[in-house]
Amino acid sequence: MGSLFSNTISLRTSVGITDAEFVQLRDFIYEKCGIYVDIKRKYLFESRFSKRLAELGLPGFADYIKYLKFDSRKNEELARLFELVTTNETSFCRDGKQLEAFQDKVLKEALDRQRKAGRLELNIWSAGCSSGEEPYTLSILLHETLRAELPRWRIAITAVDLSRAMIERAKEGVYGDYAFKTTPDDIRQRYFTKDPGGWRIKPEVARLVAFHEMNLNDPLALKRVPRSHIVFCRNVVIYFDDAMKRKVVSAFYDNLLPGGYLMLGHSETLHKVSSSFKPVYHPGTIAYLKEG
């Protein structure tokens, strides 16, 4: 999951939204997915939703709110709503310093622990995976780390996102040059093949990853995720208020196996959110340890 909304405003004519309508729509979004939008960003509702209102033939936001709540197609519209309130800004090998610390420290520790226990298996949860660049990057790092040892391991990367469109794009596994803006050329050459639509992830990388549409505000869905050794949730919780942050981080804690790690984005912290994890400091990142 990337940034909330776009930083640019469309030049098309926007439909106005009153403060009362904004609060109704904002509260509806919060109830459904936990994303909180400050009223200072009201203009973004107008710019983002105006085209959708026109597509549905609705004259204003009051009609759209009724549509979301009462229309027979409301469930289908909910998927469109989620796509409108998130903008997915991501790339392969993003935040290289963090990934380097992850590979050299966190991942090495997890693999060594599993070897000593005689269990050659590893579960990773990528929460807010957007169009797949993060979980595929993790699969690549596992290939780079384990190399010839990889076939002996049972590895599962569970990748989830709120957006149905992003999950479908991730499953397709074809990316344009922009997705590689932070990727070493040798990595692209080794793990992708040239495709008419761009670059396609190789099957041996893709087979470690399973994609699912999931709402992090759905407690039953969260409980269906296999217990994890590592959870990645980068650039997601910054869009939640404190209550939702605590709810999601608690779910991550419950999901993690003892000795597991939570990895957040470089601008995110558990300060004032949770004291359950032990912060472990590495050059370029903080990893949050579930002791036990």
Side-chain angles (χ1 to χ4, degrees):
M1 179 176 172
S3 59
L4 182 65
F5 295 106
S6 168
N7 291 324
T8 59
I9 303 175
S10 171
L11 295 177
R12 63 176 175 266
T13 302
S14 295
V15 178
I17 184 171
T18 67
D19 286 355
E21 290 168 344
F22 172 85
V23 169
Q24 283 186 334
L25 184 54
R26 179 192 67 187
D27 290 352
F28 180 84
I29 292 168
Y30 180 77
E31 177 190 340
K32 294 299 181 183
C33 65
I35 292 174
Y36 181 81
V37 186
D38 192 274
I39 198 165
K40 294 175 183 177
R41 302 173 74 85
K42 184 175 76 167
Y43 70 96
L44 291 172
F45 270 23
E46 294 175 339
S47 62
R48 267 298 181 93
F49 285 90
S50 291
K51 181 181 177 182
R52 185 59 186 153
L53 265 61
E55 290 170 348
L56 293 170
L58 299 173
F61 278 91
D63 304 277
Y64 185 59
I65 293 165
K66 289 178 184 176
Y67 185 92
L68 286 167
K69 292 181 176 180
F70 305 116
D71 195 274
S72 61
R73 295 159 291 180
K74 62 184 181 181
N75 290 335
E76 290 82 357
E77 186 59 26
L78 199 58
R80 296 297 302 271
L81 176 71
F82 291 158
E83 290 159 24
L84 286 168
V85 299
T86 57
T87 296
N88 295 275
E89 172 63 28
T90 186
S91 59
F92 288 98
C93 303
R94 188 181 185 187
D95 297 331
K97 288 289 186 182
Q98 182 186 37
L99 291 177
E100 184 178 332
F102 164 74
Q103 184 178 15
D104 294 344
K105 304 292 185 180
V106 175
L107 180 59
K108 183 178 184 299
E109 179 184 318
L111 294 174
D112 286 346
R113 187 188 308 116
Q114 292 301 96
R115 289 189 189 99
K116 289 176 183 177
R119 294 189 295 269
L120 299 186
E121 58 184 35
L122 191 74
N123 290 335
I124 299 177
W125 180 9
S126 172
C129 69
S130 188
S131 45
E133 287 89 335
E134 176 179 275
Y136 284 144
T137 295
L138 297 177
S139 179
I140 288 169
L141 291 177
L142 282 158
H143 277 78
E144 289 285 295
T145 301
L146 290 171
R147 298 188 178 273
E149 189 187 350
L150 182 66
R152 297 171 52 204
W153 284 74
R154 286 197 309 160
I155 293 172
I157 301 172
T158 301
V160 307
D161 197 83
L162 182 66
S163 169
R164 185 176 303 165
M166 287 299 104
I167 290 297
E168 291 306 313
R169 190 181 302 177
K171 289 178 179 179
E172 179 67 17
V174 178
Y175 300 90
D177 289 338
Y178 185 79
F180 299 94
K181 62 182 180 177
T182 52
T183 308
D185 286 341
D186 63 315
I187 292 292
R188 176 161 61 174
Q189 295 296 332
R190 200 149 55 239
Y191 294 103
F192 296 82
T193 55
K194 200 71 179 77
D195 186 272
W199 294 83
R200 181 178 295 277
I201 195 81
K202 286 188 174 180
E204 59 265 32
V205 179
R207 72 175 179 82
L208 300 187
V209 187
F211 290 99
H212 306 278
E213 182 184 346
M214 183 178 291
N215 186 341
L216 294 180
N217 200 32
D218 182 346
L220 293 178
L222 295 174
K223 289 178 180 178
R224 289 196 292 269
V225 178
R227 296 291 299 279
S228 306
H229 300 91
I230 301 165
V231 174
F232 262 77
C233 186
R234 301 192 295 172
N235 307 311
V236 176
V237 301
I238 53 174
Y239 303 115
F240 298 147
D241 68 356
D242 288 346
M244 183 63 185
K245 285 178 183 177
R246 286 191 287 269
K247 180 179 179 180
V248 170
V249 169
S250 177
F252 293 153
Y253 185 87
D254 291 343
N255 173 270
L256 277 166
L257 293 161
Y261 281 96
L262 169 63
M263 307 294 295
L264 298 176
H266 66 85
S267 63
E268 298 170 316
T269 177
L270 292 187
H271 181 60
K272 295 183 179 179
V273 176
S274 173
S275 59
S276 299
F277 291 88
K278 176 186 177 182
V280 179
Y281 296 88
H282 299 293
T285 194
I286 301 172
Y288 293 93
L289 170 66
K290 177 177 178 175
E291 295 182 292

